[in-house]
Structure formats: C-alpha cells, structure tokens
C-alpha cells in the first residue's frame, strides 16, 4: 500500500476525474463484496489521487443498491485515509440553486433498508460512533480553504437530506424536508458518511447542485438532461480544487 493523498467518490454525472494522469486501474475485492467499479489511481496536479464512481462508470447501480461498504473499503484497501464525496443533489433553500457547489455540515437520513453499519459482520464489535458532526470538520475546513485558493465558489454549510430514490421526491416530501431543516436533497449521502466514520476514514461532501428540488425554484419538471448539463457546468473548477485539497 503506497500513500494516496485523497480518495474521491464521484456521483451522478461524475464518472471519471478530469486531468487524472498516469492512471493505474485496480479491481479490488473487499470483505463486504465488490465495489461499484474499479479504483482508478493516478496523478492530479502532482498528487496521488484515487477515484471511484459510486454508481459504476456506466451509472448502472441505483442509489439503494450501491455497496457503500465495499466502495469505502476498496478505497481504504488501496491506501486512502481521506475521502472527498462528490454528491449530485437538488437544492431546497435559497442559497442552493442549480450549479452552486456546497460543503454541507449536517445530514438527515430518510433512507431505509440499506446496510448502514459494518457491525453486522461476524466477529466485529458493535460500534456507536459519534456522528454529531457527520463530516470530518478538519477535512471540511481544508475543502473550503482549497476552494478559496483556487477561486472556486463554495457555500459553507447546509443540511443534506438523504432520500431513498431512485425516484425524485414529491413536492410534499420536499416541503417536509424544508420544515425539517434540509437545504439539499440527494440519494447517496447515507449510509456512506456513517460507514466512513465507522471505518475510521476522514470524510466530507462536496455537493453539486443540479436542479431545484420538487416544488422549489421555478417548479419546472426535473429532467436528467438538465441534471447532467448543470453538473458539467458546475464541475469545471473541480480538478484544481481537488488537486489543491490533495496537496494540503
Ligand atoms: N432529489 C434527489 N436526488 C437528487 C436530486 C433531487 O432533486 N437531484 C439530483 N439528485
């Protein structure tokens, strides 16, 4: 295992890391099974970075069937300690419109039926990890610092509401989430963040806002084409930001 400065998990619309050079591909098997695809390890602006596409490189794995444990364990197996999770999301509150990038600091979990702990394996101790701050505060600070250095605009904070999917939400569900205090809605934020904590990884989220959530903003129908176009447009500064983060 050699040192890798950063592991990156790509979400919807981010199936590879632009500017990743000298790429080496690892097929990793873990005690939790197979990850969504190969781990691609390469150099990004001089730093060694590992990348994994959360839904597979052809987006074939729906949110509720992602093997979150295997994905994180595969990154850990190749030597990753710090994980930057890229999550494509919908925006609920004012500051989180399409094409905005955000570094949330809280989560509410609305998912169900997903394997959400590593403690079910035979021989593992039951863990009750502290999850008051679900994202590693120091890594969040480093992401925000890297954004400042590279001139990438990033909203500091926000609450990520994790829904089951794969369908989008009803307007009433989003209205309830707004009342609960959610700013963002996505389908993959949990159990990934909690599993990272159990596995002892540093983990934080960079949310890419692709659309207004149901009933928010202009209230128009949400299309996959709109989601992908907005992710693309919002992602142009990410290689520099990720390279800078890997350096720090
Ligand atoms: N809801 C849930 N997940 C999402 C959305 C949304 O509106 N947009 C992108 N991922």
């Amino acid at each position: 295992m050699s040192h890798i400065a950063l592991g990156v998990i790509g979400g919807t619309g981010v199936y590879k890391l632009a500017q990743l050079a000298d790429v080496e591909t690892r097929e990793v098997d873990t005690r939790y099974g197979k990850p969504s695809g190969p781990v691609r390890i390469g150099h990004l602006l001089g730093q060694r970075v590992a990348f994994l596409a959360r839904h597979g490189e052809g987006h074939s794995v729906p949110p509720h069937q992602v093997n979150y444990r295997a994905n994180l364990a595969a990154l850990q197996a190749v030597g990753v300690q710090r994980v930057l999770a890229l999550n494509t999301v919908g925006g609920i509150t004012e500051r989180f419109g399409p094409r905005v990038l955000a570094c949330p600091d809280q989560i509410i979990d609305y998912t169900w039926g997903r394997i959400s702990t590593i403690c079910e394996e035979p021989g593992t101790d039951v863990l009750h990890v502290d999850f008051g701050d679900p994202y590693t505060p120091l890594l969040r600070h480093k992401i925000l610092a890297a954004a400042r250095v590279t001139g990438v605009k990033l909203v500091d904070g926000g609450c990520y509401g994790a829904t089951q999917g794969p369908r989008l939400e009803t307007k009433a569900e989003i209205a309830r989430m707004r009342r609960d205090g959610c700013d963002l809605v996505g389908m993959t934020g949990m159990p990934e963040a909690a599993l990272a904590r159990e596995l002892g990884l540093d983990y934080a989220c960079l949310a890419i806002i692709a659309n207004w959530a149901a009933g928010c903003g202009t209230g128009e129908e949400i299309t996959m084409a709109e989601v992908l176009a907005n992710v693309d447009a919002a992602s142009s500064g990410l290689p520099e930001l990720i390279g800078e983060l890997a350096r720090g």
Side-chain angles (χ1 to χ4, degrees):
M1 243 173 27
S2 56
H3 178 71
I4 293 182
L6 187 70
V8 179
I9 301 179
T12 298
V14 186
Y15 306 115
K16 63 182 181 156
L17 212 47
Q19 298 185 26
L20 193 68
D22 316 320
V23 179
E24 171 201 338
T25 298
R26 302 256 189 99
E27 300 284 350
V28 185
D29 211 350
T30 78
R31 64 182 298 191
Y32 309 109
K34 287 197 188 309
S36 302
V39 180
R40 311 269 186 200
I41 303 171
H43 285 99
L44 184 73
L45 308 175
Q47 306 301 315
R48 242 162 98 74
V49 170
F51 178 83
L52 178 61
R54 183 183 288 114
H55 300 278
E57 291 176 355
H59 199 115
S60 54
V61 189
H64 63 292
Q65 286 180 338
V66 170
N67 190 337
Y68 295 94
R69 300 195 300 181
N71 284 354
L72 291 164
L75 289 174
Q76 199 165 39
V78 302
V80 167
Q81 171 56 34
R82 302 191 302 167
V83 177
L84 174 69
L86 302 178
N87 294 87
T88 299
V89 300
I92 299 176
T93 53
E94 215 181 318
R95 290 189 305 157
F96 301 89
R99 303 191 178 191
V100 167
L101 299 174
C103 189
D105 58 357
Q106 280 298 323
I107 301 176
I108 298 179
D109 188 4
Y110 300 91
T111 67
W112 49 269
R114 302 182 182 189
I115 298 175
S116 53
T117 178
I118 58 167
C119 300
E120 293 176 347
E121 297 305 294
T124 32
D125 292 334
V126 176
L127 300 169
H128 297 288
V129 290
D130 185 307
F131 203 50
D133 288 309
Y135 301 115
T136 307
L138 183 59
L139 185 55
R140 279 194 73 253
H141 286 135
K142 291 196 168 183
I143 293 168
L144 292 162
R148 274 194 299 275
V149 169
T150 54
V152 174
K153 274 179 76 177
L154 190 57
V155 178
D156 176 3
C159 180
Y160 179 123
T163 55
Q164 179 70 358
R167 66 165 176 84
L168 297 171
E169 301 71 31
T170 65
K171 292 176 184 173
E173 286 168 338
I174 294 294
R176 177 180 75 149
M177 292 177 75
R178 186 194 288 271
R179 290 194 297 276
D180 284 353
C182 295
D183 299 295
L184 305 166
V185 55
M187 302 172 189
T188 53
M190 286 292 283
E192 195 174 88
L195 290 166
R197 183 65 50 86
E198 285 189 348
L199 287 164
L201 291 162
D202 298 316
Y203 178 97
C205 163
L206 197 162
I208 305 169
I209 296 135
N211 57 279
W212 283 115
C216 305
T218 57
E220 278 167 26
E221 187 188 342
I222 302 163
T223 65
M224 205 55 197
E226 170 201 359
V227 165
L228 295 177
N230 284 337
V231 170
D232 251 15
S235 300
S236 58
L238 286 186
E240 282 72 25
L241 188 156
I242 293 169
E244 177 64 26
L245 175 63
R247 238 161 45 85

